[in-house]
Amino acid sequence: MRRKIFDRLVQWKNESRGASALLIEGARRVGKSYIVEEFAKKEYDSYVLINFSNTSSKIKNLFVNDLHDIPMLLQKLSNLTFTRFFERRTLIIFDEVQKWPRAREAIKFLVADGRYDYIETGSLISIHENVKDIVIPSEEEKVKMYPMDFEEFCWALGDEVTIPTIREHFELKTPLGDDVHSSILDTFRKYMVIGGMPQVVKEYITTRDFSKVERIKKQIIDLYKEDIGKRTRVNKRKTAALFESIPSELSKHDKVFKITDVDKNGKFANYEDPIYWLEDSMIANLCYNASAPNVALGLNKDLSTMKIYSGDTGLLVTLAIDMNVSTEHEIYIDILQDRLHINEGMFAENVVAQILRSRGHRLFFHAFYKEGGDGKSSKNRSEVDFMIRSGNRISVIEVKTGRSTLHSSLDHLMDKYTKHLGQCYVLHTKDLRKERDLLYLPIYMAICL
């Protein structure tokens, strides 16, 4: 299936010309190995893919015993893989490189040799267990790979028209009209339910059977649980509890993660490592509370107050079913027929978080207490869903899934922080419209932000 990262690989090849290796990070089953092998087949005369999850000890030992003689190491690698290497026309792929850190360390010497190109793929690349006792090569260029975005999902369906239409109307700030809007929204709802894991999307395209789609998603979640099960005993328990709590935490009205919901006597400091592991594995996207809506969002973030979104909304749907937050039938029908209840608004908010993160935005929300006419702060907590940088200003985003489009929190910020804010948005399931300084966008236009 067509993926945007392919163009990034071509760009790296043409610009680097062997001066650096490319390291692709991404969650399990996001399609890293597939796209890199497709790239190798189309762009090189020969390639070898070494999967360090199951490769032979003979190959692994090359990166322990032969680093002093790189030409000999490469000759042995050619022989052991029965692959002829061509200078500047061969790609060597280290798949699941986190399983054998010595190979990652060898990149420095392999790149210096200069004859071949190198791509590394893996998950949990920066977790300390995978980098201790090695020197991380400065010759790496890093790129993150996310689940298929809505445009890639449309491509997979054979649809080359929808996304250009969305972008055109976003740029012109004109509504699409009822028929076009309803058609695009139907496709977007399918994307929410199915998600962007390539194997899942392929199953849907092949069978159009949601029960088979659900089976594949459960298999992927089981893989994630297996990875969690390989952690140390203490962190295994805590990480599993965090992962399984994502649907229930997001189903709350404020969606803010609370350690005490997972562990009655828990403290945030004891859960920092499991939280970091979920983010580093790219299983989850963290959204931090920023104390002020200005361009220094990262400097104003409260590390102890966050929301934990699933890295893929389709997997969140399945996880919610597994955790008995709702039933498969209820969730599928509610999403596909635009009947989301309050606690199911998490799916809409999650898909927006997923889109923003894949577009390179760091995720922040803003919680605050409004001041009354007497100058005293209200006891009722208010918040806006997302804040993103837009040039030297901040765009505030509210996600609305019900019939009500009230946004008093957003109005308050727009009045109080006029100098810091750029265009602000309400994402909902209706067509585009503009009211004064506020732009109402159909939720699928999050891809334009």
Side-chain angles (χ1 to χ4, degrees), residues 129-225:
E129 290 95 336
N130 297 321
V131 297
K132 66 180 181 180
D133 301 326
I134 72 165
V135 176
I136 298 176
S138 59
E139 292 76 11
E140 287 178 345
E141 290 185 40
K142 295 181 181 179
V143 61
K144 291 186 181 295
M145 186 172 179
Y146 296 93
M148 296 172 69
D149 65 18
F150 184 47
E151 184 168 19
E152 292 170 326
F153 181 78
C154 289
W155 290 342
L157 296 177
D159 177 1
E160 301 275 347
V161 175
T162 289
I163 303 303
T165 300
I166 291 172
R167 291 194 174 120
E168 178 183 356
H169 284 266
F170 175 79
E171 292 298 326
L172 295 174
K173 304 295 184 286
T174 57
L176 294 94
D178 291 344
D179 291 342
V180 174
H181 167 68
S182 295
S183 176
I184 296 175
L185 191 59
D186 285 345
T187 303
F188 189 76
R189 290 192 190 110
K190 290 187 179 75
Y191 173 65
M192 286 175 63
V193 166
I194 295 163
M197 305 306 278
Q199 187 181 1
V200 178
V201 175
K202 183 178 180 180
E203 183 67 30
Y204 174 73
I205 292 169
T206 303
T207 67
R208 304 286 169 158
D209 186 332
F210 283 116
S211 63
K212 292 182 178 178
V213 164
E214 198 62 31
R215 190 178 306 123
I216 300 296
K217 290 195 288 176
K218 287 178 181 177
Q219 291 172 2
I220 294 173
I221 288 174
D222 287 343
L223 282 175
Y224 291 170
K225 289 180 178 178

Side-chain angles (χ1 to χ4, degrees), residues 81-98:
T81 59
F82 307 103
T83 304
R84 185 177 177 186
F85 291 178
F86 302 94
E87 188 167 336
R88 305 300 322 127
R89 292 181 289 130
T90 292
L91 176 65
I92 299 174
I93 304 165
F94 293 164
D95 196 22
E96 301 291 350
V97 72
Q98 78 279 1

Side-chain angles (χ1 to χ4, degrees), residues 301-360:
K301 69 180 179 182
D302 178 359
L303 293 175
S304 64
T305 309
M306 68 182 68
K307 300 179 184 181
I308 304 179
Y309 294 104
S310 172
D312 179 78
T313 306
L315 295 184
L316 175 63
V317 169
T318 303
L319 193 60
I321 294 167
D322 284 352
M323 295 299 109
N324 296 317
V325 173
S326 189
T327 69
E328 179 179 338
H329 177 76
E330 287 174 346
I331 290 180
Y332 273 59
I333 294 299
D334 288 347
I335 292 177
L336 294 174
Q337 295 188 4
D338 192 19
R339 296 201 311 234
L340 289 179
H341 304 293
I342 291 175
N343 67 327
E344 292 174 338
M346 63 177 169
F347 302 121
E349 197 168 312
N350 196 93
V351 79
V352 172
Q354 180 181 339
I355 290 168
L356 295 177
R357 192 70 191 92
S358 69
R359 289 183 55 76

